[in-house]
């Protein structure tokens, strides 16, 4: 037996309380019992999103909610600005192309944040842009984009700001209404301590207005229809009932811990991981605007990141994420979201040190762990 430790930025570990809730006997969804539970979860989702609007729950992975954002808010021929700084920015681009929007791509070097000035310039040059599609946290490059500042630009224009918050919502504070985000999307398997299978999407008032006037084929992801059902604590189609049991429990756990404490925990584990990587002489992938969701680090010269990642997973039982596309085999991504804490970070760093040593990189064992501990000491209770 090799004990497994899942430290990838999604799917993430699911706590026993949530797993027990998911294991409960199924109930019928057209019942007062389901309505009561779903109503409570809907309240919790509003709190999580920082919005007074409805948060619509979909049975889909996160990409389903991204697709819902596109088909409800944009018509064929609509010009949109796509911030493309990684695999998930690229996904916005593909979705926009699929539905015949006219994307203007703003490419960002992987590992970096988009510059607000560049967004402002493109918006100025193209006054007919109808939306900005962006990630809060670009999980593939472990960088964060400055969504709050971009919202200040879109708020005063007839431009919808559509944010893929799949590793942002519940990771750090993304107050939708306060910042003026128009469409915010997340998925169950990242910060929400749930298995994959649910996606969530909220629209601002003006985004709902846009949705009412946009002509684009849609059926399962027709958000107006879904919202009308969910306003009555029901769903248009059969919901993923078991996952909604889990959702209710996970939201309860998040409320018990308190969002400020959750965000501080993620930030601290991220800081500790960065300190450890730096102490081990590893170069950070996103040094200037690192995401608190996951830390990406380049593997040292001569160490094959793909082999190291596979060895950690298959021989040591520690699953990190590797790199994609041109970063394949070059980086490792270590997550610190959802049901993860200080000692997952310590485990992560200890395992990384041992694997690096195994692959011939000179590592002073404990150096990274010590650096992480120094950061984590700051949050030890009295
Ligand atoms: C995980 C992730 C997605 C993809 O979600 P799926 O649930 O795999 O469809 C999209 N965007 C970001 C930023 C993610 O981290």
């Amino acid at each position: 037996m090799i004990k497994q430790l899942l430290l990838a930025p999604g799917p993430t570990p699911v706590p026993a309380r949530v797993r027990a809730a998911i294991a409960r006997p199924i109930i019928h969804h057209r019942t007062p019992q389901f309505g009561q539970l779903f109503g409570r979860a809907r309240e919790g989702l509003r709190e999580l999103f920082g919005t007074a609007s409805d948060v619509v729950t979909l049975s889909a992975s996160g990409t389903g909610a991204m697709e819902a954002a596109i088909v409800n808010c944009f018509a064929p021929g609509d010009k949109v600005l796509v911030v493309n700084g990684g695999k998930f920015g690229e996904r916005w681009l593909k979705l926009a192309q699929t539905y015949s929007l006219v994307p203007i791509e703003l490419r960002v070097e992987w590992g970096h944040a988009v510059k607000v000035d560049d967004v402002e310039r493109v918006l100025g040059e193209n006054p007919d842009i109808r939306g900005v599609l962006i990630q809060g946290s670009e999980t593939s490059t472990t960088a964060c984009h400055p969504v709050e500042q971009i919202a200040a630009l879109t708020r005063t224009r007839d431009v919808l700001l559509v944010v893929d918050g799949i590793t942002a919502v519940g990771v750090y504070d993304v107050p939708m209404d306060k910042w003026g985000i128009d469409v915010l999307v997340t998925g169950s398997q990242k910060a929400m301590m749930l298995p994959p299978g649910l996606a969530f999407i909220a629209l601002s008032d003006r985004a709902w207005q846009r949705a009412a006037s946009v002509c684009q084929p849609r059926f399962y992801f027709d958000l107006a229809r879904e919202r009308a059902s969910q306003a009555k604590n029901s769903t248009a189609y059969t919901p993923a009932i078991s996952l909604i049991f889990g959702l209710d429990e996970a939201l309860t756990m998040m409320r018990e811990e308190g969002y400020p404490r959750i965000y501080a925990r993620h930030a601290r584990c991220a800081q500790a991981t960065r300190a450890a990587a730096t102490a081990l002489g590893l170069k950070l992938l996103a040094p200037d605007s690192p995401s608190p969701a996951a830390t990406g680090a380049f593997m040292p010269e001569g160490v094959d990141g793909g082999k190291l990642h596979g060895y950690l997973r298959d021989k040591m039982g520690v699953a990190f994420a590797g790199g994609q596309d041109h970063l394949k085999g070059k980086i490792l991504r270590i997550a610190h979201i959802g049901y993860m804490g200080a000692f997952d970070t310590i485990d992560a760093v200890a395992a990384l040190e041992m694997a690096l040593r195994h692959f011939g990189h000179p590592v002073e064992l404990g150096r990274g762990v010590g650096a992480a501990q120094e950061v984590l000491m700051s949050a030890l209770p009295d």
Side-chain angles (χ1 to χ4, degrees), residues 61-63 66 88 91 135 137 139 164 166-167 189-190:
S61 82
T63 306
M66 293 173 75
F88 295 112
R91 188 161 304 176
Q135 272 60 43
S137 155
T139 321
D164 164 2
I166 299 180
T167 56
Q189 80 276 26
K190 306 283 170 87

Side-chain angles (χ1 to χ4, degrees), residues 288-355:
D288 304 326
S289 54
S291 172
T295 299
F298 286 98
M299 291 300 99
E301 204 68 48
V303 173
D304 180 331
K307 284 200 182 125
L308 182 109
H309 172 245
Y311 182 84
L312 274 157
R313 182 192 58 214
D314 302 332
K315 307 290 184 193
M316 297 177 69
V318 180
F320 295 123
Q324 293 156 299
D325 288 358
H326 63 278
L327 293 179
K328 204 170 165 62
K330 298 208 163 69
I331 61 156
L332 210 60
R333 288 174 299 146
I334 302 168
H336 12 72
I337 46 174
Y339 188 52
M340 293 188 198
F343 296 101
D344 293 298
T345 295
I346 294 293
D347 282 356
V349 175
L352 176 60
E353 288 181 350
M354 291 162 75

Side-chain angles (χ1 to χ4, degrees), residues 132-143:
V132 173
L133 313 180
I134 193 168
Q135 272 60 43
S137 155
E138 175 49 87
T139 321
S140 66
T141 71
T142 66

Side-chain angles (χ1 to χ4, degrees), residues 271-272 274-280 353 366-376:
Q271 195 197 336
R274 291 194 297 272
T278 306
L280 292 172
E353 288 181 350
R367 181 172 260 277
V369 169
Q373 283 173 315
E374 290 292 350
V375 173
L376 296 168

